[in-house]
């Protein structure tokens, strides 16, 4: 999968015409969403819009003037936090999904270093890979929908699925493809990664994260158990929290080539 720099607002506006949008975030910037994202969705003829956010962030949301009129917003009740970030656009013949790490904030969409993947469904086109991915995304949305209290938001989600007759419900067969969407609503992510990899050998694991478990090296140890040749850890020194490089001095990491890369984001294309 090729990597390139994306302008997320431009990526959002460059698709087809859709009827529904479901967006998920941890943090929500009401002013940015209503000033920048909502007008783009309106240009795409999207009239059915739902935003799913974290409970604590929902309670502190400000500058929301069009909620309940132009879109619905509700919070997903999780044991800890609701953390997924995606935009799912549904229409009768088309679908587009943007999945990654960008919150629905100005920083997330225009300033911070984020990872996002975009995939499309188009009726009649070669969509063999996209269809199961959308089915898996639908399954995740349904998990979240079950944790909503606002019946209007839930009904809007049902309408979004109805607007897309091509959108199947997820089945076990959807997990047999080369690319999967994984979530931890029902089981930990790493066990799913292990099952997906099977007996295949791993050359390199690349880690990009703003948060680490401090002294808890268990997740890193479990990654080493996948027997990779190399592990690359990418950190932004002035932003990363809980990362301690001396954790890799432990004996369990002795057989793995581990490199720690300090990434500086300056806003320069060259950098």
């Amino acid at each position: 999968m090729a990597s390139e720099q994306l302008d997320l607002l431009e990526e959002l506006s460059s698709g087809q015409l859709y009827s529904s949008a479901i967006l998920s975030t941890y943090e929500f910037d009401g002013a940015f969403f209503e000033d920048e994202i909502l007008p783009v969705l309106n240009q795409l003829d999207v009239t059915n819009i739902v935003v799913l956010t974290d409970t604590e962030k929902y309670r502190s949301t400000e500058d929301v003037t069009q909620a309940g009129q132009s879109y619905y917003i509700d919070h997903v009740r999780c044991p800890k936090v609701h953390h997924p970030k995606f935009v799912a656009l549904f229409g009768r013949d088309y679908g587009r999904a943007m999945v990654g790490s960008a919150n629905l904030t100005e920083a997330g969409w225009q300033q911070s270093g984020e990872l996002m993947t975009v995939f499309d469904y188009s009726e009649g086109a070669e969509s063999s890979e996209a269809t199961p991915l959308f089915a898996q995304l639908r399954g995740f949305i349904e998990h979240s929908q079950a944790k909503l209290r606002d019946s209007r938001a839930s009904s809007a989600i049902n309408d979004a699925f109805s607007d897309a007759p091509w959108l199947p419900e997820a089945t076990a067969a959807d997990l047999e493809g080369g690319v999967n969407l994984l979530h931890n609503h029902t089981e930990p992510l790493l066990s799913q990664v292990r099952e997906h990899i099977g007996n295949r050998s791993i050359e390199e694991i690349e880690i990009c994260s703003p948060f680490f478990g401090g002294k808890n090296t268990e997740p890193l140890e479990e990654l080493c158990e996948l027997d990779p040749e190399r592990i690359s850890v990418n950190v932004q020194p002035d932003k990363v929290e809980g990362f301690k490089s001396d954790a890799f001095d432990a004996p369990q990491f002795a057989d793995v080539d581990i490199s720690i890369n300090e990434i500086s984001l300056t806003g320069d294309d060259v950098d």
Side-chain angles (χ1 to χ4, degrees):
M1 187 174 292
S3 176
E4 61 181 294
Q5 187 169 331
L6 299 176
D7 180 322
L8 295 184
L9 281 172
E10 184 177 310
E11 201 67 32
L12 181 66
S13 64
S14 63
Q16 305 290 336
L17 297 182
Y18 308 94
S19 54
S20 295
I22 301 173
L23 305 93
S24 178
T25 185
Y26 170 61
E27 292 189 83
F28 181 69
D29 182 340
F32 173 74
F33 178 78
E34 294 187 359
D35 292 345
E36 301 291 341
I37 296 180
L38 195 57
V40 175
L41 293 176
N42 291 335
Q43 289 172 11
L44 295 174
D45 282 353
V46 178
T47 57
N48 179 39
I49 302 170
V50 181
V51 176
L52 305 177
T53 186
D54 176 67
T55 298
E56 213 49 49
K57 296 300 180 181
Y58 176 86
R59 290 170 178 162
S60 59
T61 294
E62 298 178 346
D63 301 320
V64 175
T65 62
Q66 300 183 52
Q69 304 170 45
S70 300
Y71 65 97
Y72 298 112
I73 180 171
D74 197 8
H75 53 110
V76 180
R77 291 152 183 81
C78 295
K80 291 193 175 181
V81 296
H82 175 79
H83 215 252
K85 296 95 177 176
F86 65 80
V87 177
L89 302 172
F90 300 114
R92 178 156 294 277
D93 301 317
Y94 302 100
R96 166 163 285 198
M98 302 163 59
V99 181
S101 63
N103 281 305
L104 286 176
T105 63
E106 183 177 11
W109 274 53
Q110 297 182 333
Q111 297 167 2
S112 302
E114 309 287 354
L115 288 169
M116 296 293 283
T117 297
V118 181
F119 53 94
D120 291 289
Y121 171 89
S122 178
E123 188 175 50
E126 186 61 41
S127 302
S128 58
E129 185 177 273
T131 302
L133 287 171
F134 274 101
Q136 292 166 33
L137 181 56
R138 173 178 179 162
F140 178 78
I141 293 171
E142 288 173 336
H143 276 288
S144 301
Q145 183 183 13
K147 302 176 187 297
L148 300 179
R149 186 169 295 172
D150 189 337
S151 59
R152 298 172 302 171
S154 185
S155 294
I157 290 174
N158 290 335
D159 291 341
F161 294 154
S162 298
D163 287 344
W166 53 267
L167 180 64
E169 295 185 10
T171 66
D174 292 323
L175 298 176
E176 296 175 0
V179 180
N180 287 340
L181 285 177
L182 306 180
H183 64 79
N184 63 356
H185 273 194
T186 52
E187 62 177 303
L189 288 175
L190 194 52
S191 61
Q192 298 176 67
V193 171
R194 285 176 175 275
E195 183 177 353
H196 185 57
I197 291 172
N199 295 323
R200 286 175 287 184
S201 60
I202 305 300
E203 291 184 5
E204 182 172 5
I205 295 174
E206 188 147 359
I207 299 171
C208 302
S209 177
F211 304 107
F212 287 80
K215 295 181 179 179
N216 177 17
T217 61
E218 185 177 342
L220 296 172
E221 291 173 27
E222 290 191 46
L223 288 175
C224 285
E225 290 174 7
L226 296 174
D227 198 25
E229 295 179 14
R230 300 179 300 279
I231 292 181
S232 297
V233 183
N234 302 294
V235 298
Q236 193 175 352
D238 57 337
K239 298 290 185 182
V240 67
E241 295 184 17
F243 177 71
K244 301 188 182 303
S245 59
D246 56 5
F248 290 106
D249 296 334
Q252 56 266 40
F253 301 115
D255 296 330
V256 182
D257 179 12
I258 296 174
S259 61
I260 300 169
N261 308 310
E262 295 188 352
I263 308 298
S264 176
L265 298 173
T266 65
D268 246 343
D269 284 345
V270 177
D271 215 353

